[in-house]
């Protein structure tokens, strides 16, 4: 979807935020969920959102013990490194609930100053714990970043925003709500695990059968001279039906209010 214009949410807006698996992290672990969706309220604080984000890299055990296998003395890394930051618009929102937390915004700002050819900045820096969702200026469908553990970076995006309706859970204490991820919208390729899938493939040669593949992987494996040979008894493929795009209805809601 094309990003919406920049706008500000209201306190009584419900916004759907999507958090993707980390891009890449030197902490290993690839078994994190592809993504998590949350329903947030405009009146909520960014730290409420942050605290709901689950990343298995947080659970990596670290120990001072000289025997690294002795996990009984270990602690999850998140207890030692609890700094985190959202980068939204041109602003770093850093978690300073623990005053000893590293300021990732400072580090990036310094890096930008040391690399003027990159043409980055100036940036603004704010505290996550003093910022509500309604304070943000966002664009729906636009990629923003969440960073924690020093190098674990997740893409986040706001996929929808609208006024609360009677069908929504009315108890505001229950938010942020983790919502079922609609697997209809995005299913990662069984081979590269990066792109959305567009083909159903049934082939003995693949690690599992059947498997959904992306356009690129299908092309790499099966296309000959840029043509896809017809399915055979051994190899069957079929294009998956197109997926519904995200619905963006915030602008209509905003107009209704005036
Ligand atoms: Zn992470
Ligand atoms: Zn692929």
């Amino acid at each position: 979807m094309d990003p919406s214009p920049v706008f500000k949410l209201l306190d009584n807006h419900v916004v759907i935020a999507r958090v993707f698996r980390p891009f890449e992290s030197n902490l290993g672990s690839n078994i994190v969920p592809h993504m998590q969706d949350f329903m947030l309220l405009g009146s909520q604080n960014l730290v409420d959102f942050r605290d709901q984000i689950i990343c298995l890299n947080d659970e990596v055990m670290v120990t001072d013990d000289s025997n690294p296998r002795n996990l009984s003395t270990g602690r999850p890394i998140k207890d030692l490194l609890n700094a985190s930051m959202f980068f939204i618009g041109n602003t770093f929102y850093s978690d300073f609930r623990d005053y000893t937390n590293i300021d990732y915004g400072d580090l990036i700002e310094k890096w930008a100053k040391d690399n003027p050819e990159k043409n980055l900045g100036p940036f603004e820096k704010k505290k996550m714990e003093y910022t509500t969702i309604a304070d943000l200026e966002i664009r729906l469908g636009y990629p923003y970043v969440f960073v924690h553990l020093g190098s674990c970076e997740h893409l986040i995006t706001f996929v929808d925003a609208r006024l609360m309706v009677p069908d929504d859970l009315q108890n505001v204490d229950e938010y942020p709500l983790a919502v079922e991820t609609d697997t209809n919208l995005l299913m990662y390729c069984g081979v590269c695990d990066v792109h959305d899938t567009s083909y159903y493939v049934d082939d003995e040669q693949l690690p599992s059968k059947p498997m959904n593949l992306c356009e690129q992987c299908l092309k790499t494996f099966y296309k000959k001279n840029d043509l896809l040979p017809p399915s055979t008894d051994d190899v069957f493929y079929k294009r998956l039906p197109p997926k519904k795009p995200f619905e963006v209805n915030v602008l209509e809601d905003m107009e209704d209010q005036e």
Side-chain angles (χ1 to χ4, degrees):
M1 87 193 218
D2 289 333
S4 75
V6 177
F7 69 97
K8 275 185 89 148
L9 295 154
L10 301 172
D11 279 355
N12 60 345
H13 262 126
V14 176
V15 59
I16 311 245
R18 177 160 293 173
V19 180
F20 291 83
R21 66 190 296 165
F23 295 136
E24 203 184 312
S25 126
N26 50 23
L27 296 160
S29 182
N30 235 348
I31 31 175
V32 289
H34 287 124
M35 55 184 181
Q36 301 162 266
D37 280 0
F38 299 100
M39 281 175 91
L40 309 163
L41 300 177
S43 55
Q44 281 180 308
N45 199 287
L46 266 184
V47 290
D48 300 325
F49 177 27
R50 187 272 165 269
D51 289 344
Q52 293 296 315
I53 297 175
I54 296 171
C55 175
L56 288 194
N57 286 334
D58 275 334
E59 305 304 327
V60 171
M61 295 297 274
V62 285
T63 173
D64 293 335
D65 202 294
S66 53
N67 177 1
R69 289 180 177 223
N70 186 1
L71 290 181
S72 57
T73 58
R75 287 198 287 162
I77 192 166
K78 67 173 177 205
D79 290 358
L80 303 169
L81 299 174
N82 51 15
S84 65
M85 176 193 79
F86 289 104
F87 183 48
I88 297 171
N90 208 33
T91 307
F92 300 112
Y93 298 93
S94 299
D95 184 349
F96 281 112
R97 285 174 292 178
D98 178 345
Y99 71 95
T100 62
N101 279 351
I102 302 167
D103 187 339
Y104 292 137
D106 265 355
L107 299 179
I108 297 171
E109 203 164 45
K110 184 174 180 309
W111 177 85
K113 277 197 187 121
D114 292 345
N115 295 274
E117 73 285 357
K118 305 258 187 215
N119 238 332
L120 297 170
F123 304 105
E124 270 198 76
K125 287 187 290 178
K126 292 185 177 165
K127 290 194 164 117
M128 205 191 279
E129 61 275 29
Y130 295 142
T131 307
T132 66
I133 303 292
D135 290 332
L136 303 174
E137 292 193 346
I138 60 166
R139 300 173 71 185
L140 294 181
Y142 195 80
Y144 300 112
V145 180
F146 169 69
V147 187
H148 67 134
L149 301 178
S151 62
C152 193
E153 296 182 19
H154 300 247
L155 196 71
I156 60 165
T157 184
F158 298 98
V159 297
D160 193 13
R162 54 175 172 72
L163 290 171
M164 214 178 197
V165 296
D167 276 351
D168 288 323
L169 195 68
Q170 301 294 311
N171 181 1
V172 296
D173 295 337
E174 305 243 12
Y175 291 83
L177 267 182
V179 290
E180 277 293 298
T181 302
D182 188 349
T183 46
N184 241 335
L185 289 177
L186 204 57
M187 200 193 307
Y188 287 86
C189 169
V191 172
C192 66
D193 204 25
V194 171
H195 301 112
D196 195 9
T197 52
S198 36
Y199 283 88
Y200 168 96
V201 184
D202 201 340
D203 176 1
E204 288 291 351
Q205 309 289 322
L206 288 175
S208 78
K209 193 175 120 76
M211 215 174 202
N212 288 340
L213 298 191
C214 71
E215 189 95 45
Q216 287 87 333
C217 289
L218 189 95
K219 193 171 165 180
T220 312
F221 289 126
Y222 299 109
K223 275 198 177 169
K224 302 217 164 66
N225 304 324
D226 222 32
L227 283 174
L228 195 58
S231 290
T232 62
D233 284 349
D234 292 335
V235 184
F236 173 82
Y237 26 65
K238 195 173 109 202
R239 196 173 238 301
L240 295 166
K243 290 155 196 171
K244 275 192 308 185
F246 303 125
E247 276 174 35
V248 182
N249 55 19
V250 65
L251 298 174
E252 290 158 34
D253 282 350
M254 309 278 267
E255 277 160 21
D256 285 351
Q257 274 175 345
E258 283 156 9

